[in-house]
Amino acid sequence: EGVLSSIERGRTETARVGLVSSALGDHPDVKEMLRGLSESGIELNVSSVRAESLDAELASMLVGLGVRTVTIAPEAATPALRDVIGKSAGDEMLS
């Protein structure tokens, strides 16, 4: 709710906003926030999305908001390194 109201207050002539976050997909209300942006007619850019938080619904919502490219952050290059740092994104998620 705070993000949406901030966007509306700062909105000028542009219909596109950018969300920069280290863990956008981990926000507990990310899908509700994206629905609110969509209802407001706002298009979106995002900096990146952690691979393990990206599901089909979130990807579809991002596309619907005009996102054409997104950086997927796997956190480490190999499955073994991801296991060491506790990240669950397998290679199948990244291809």
Side-chain angles (χ1 to χ4, degrees), residues 4-36:
L4 294 175
S5 64
S6 293
I7 289 171
E8 282 302 319
R9 280 194 317 272
R11 192 171 173 187
T12 56
E13 296 176 18
T14 185
R16 182 171 287 275
V17 298
L19 295 178
V20 179
S21 171
S22 61
L24 175 68
D26 291 345
H27 189 286
D29 298 318
V30 67
K31 291 178 181 174
E32 290 78 17
M33 182 173 47
L34 295 180
R35 281 187 196 94

Side-chain angles (χ1 to χ4, degrees), residues 41-94:
I42 293 174
E43 292 187 349
L44 183 68
N45 284 331
V46 296
S47 55
S48 67
V49 178
R50 287 182 36 201
E52 58 267 16
S53 66
L54 185 62
D55 60 20
E57 181 183 17
L58 181 58
S60 177
M61 294 175 90
L62 292 172
V63 168
L65 285 161
V67 174
R68 299 292 174 249
T69 60
V70 65
T71 299
I72 299 190
E75 311 296 338
T78 67
L81 287 174
R82 289 191 293 271
D83 286 343
V84 168
I85 63 172
K87 302 297 180 178
S88 61
D91 284 346
E92 66 281 350
M93 293 177 82
L94 305 173

